[in-house]
Amino acid sequence: MRVHVADHPLITHKLTVLRDKNTPSPIFRSLVEELMTLLAYEGTRGVRVEDVTVQTPVSEARGVQISDPKPLVVPILRAGLGMLEGMVKLLPTAEVGFLGMARNEETLQPATYAERLPDDLSDRQCFVLDPMLATGGSLIAAIQFLFDRGAVDVTAICILAAPEGLAAVEKALEGREVTIVLGAVDDKLDEHGYIVPGLGDAGDRLYGLV
Ligand code: URA
């Protein structure tokens, strides 16, 4: 597994405003989108391309285009939805699938409650969007779900991670073709599973308390 922390002053600046509890929802939403475009730039370094030749007004030029099958972007509901626009702005030809994950309060294990994905992901490059890598439970389940459908390489893009969650993902997906791209790694998880210092509940801050 590869972990890449996108260390750039613009990312840290936007992240700082996101963390501020006084940042209202509309600004929070547009900042997540902007931040996501920057993280998507980092996260798509490994996007598969193929060689093409085009004709410029002057001569032939060799270049690349994104290969088929097109990448699949999978936001994890609900907070991952806030990251989708920023991602597809940069990768407009990607297809989008959806995965809803929630914790089963009896087993405390993440369970899939909604899914709209191709049945066969063989040879697909997948990009999972989940803003907060906290315990890692839902991200591990989501990535595992994609591998079970045949995906070959998965990049997860998260805004923040806790070291505990990163370690859990690393342990669970050891040896798999996984890249995690992050805005920052914070200090720790608190006893309620919140990232510290974090930014609070990303879903609530994006969409309100519902
Ligand atoms: N999910 C969130 O939205 N925030 C956290 O701090 C942890 C998980």
Side-chain angles (χ1 to χ4, degrees):
M1 184 175 102
R2 286 175 296 276
V3 177
H4 176 71
V5 182
D7 184 17
H8 188 289
L10 267 185
I11 291 179
T12 313
H13 166 81
K14 289 178 195 299
L15 205 41
T16 307
V17 185
L18 274 191
R19 290 184 190 278
D20 188 338
K21 67 177 186 182
N22 295 314
T23 299
S25 247
I27 297 186
F28 190 93
R29 273 200 293 270
S30 58
L31 271 173
V32 166
E33 193 182 320
E34 287 171 30
L35 192 53
M36 190 49 216
T37 307
L38 298 172
L39 291 176
Y41 180 73
E42 296 288 342
T44 50
R45 278 184 192 279
V47 72
R48 281 195 231 138
V49 291
E50 59 201 25
D51 293 336
V52 286
T53 303
V54 293
Q55 198 67 43
T56 77
V58 181
S59 76
E60 264 193 356
R62 283 200 295 267
V64 298
Q65 67 183 15
I66 292 175
S67 302
D68 283 324
K70 297 292 184 237
L72 182 72
V73 176
V74 184
I76 302 188
L77 306 178
R78 116 185 118 134
L81 263 191
M83 301 166 79
L84 181 60
E85 270 309 303
M87 182 74 183
V88 294
K89 215 173 241 176
L90 212 64
L91 209 54
T93 55
E95 289 178 9
V96 180
F98 296 91
L99 205 46
M101 314 281 314
R103 195 163 72 152
N104 177 316
E105 291 307 330
E106 274 159 32
T107 63
L108 299 185
Q109 295 304 309
T112 308
Y113 69 85
E115 174 259 304
R116 188 74 197 241
L117 291 169
D119 287 337
D120 182 9
L121 294 176
S122 314
D123 208 29
R124 278 311 267 272
Q125 201 174 23
C126 298
F127 293 88
V128 176
L129 312 181
D130 193 8
M132 308 296 275
L133 201 181
T135 61
S138 54
L139 189 63
I140 292 167
I143 295 175
Q144 199 58 60
F145 191 100
L146 299 174
F147 280 134
D148 290 347
R149 288 261 169 113
V152 283
D153 88 72
V154 178
T155 298
I157 305 182
C158 308
I159 293 175
L160 288 180
E164 296 90 329
L166 261 186
V169 176
E170 197 141 29
K171 187 165 171 224
L173 299 168
E174 201 184 342
R176 306 305 302 252
E177 196 56 42
V178 175
T179 303
I180 312 271
V181 175
L182 302 162
V185 180
D186 275 7
D187 297 344
K188 59 174 185 174
L189 278 184
D190 73 8
E191 62 280 18
H192 307 291
Y194 277 93
I195 297 176
V196 181
L199 50 75
D201 187 303
D204 288 352
R205 294 201 63 192
L206 280 163
Y207 301 119
L209 287 161
V210 287

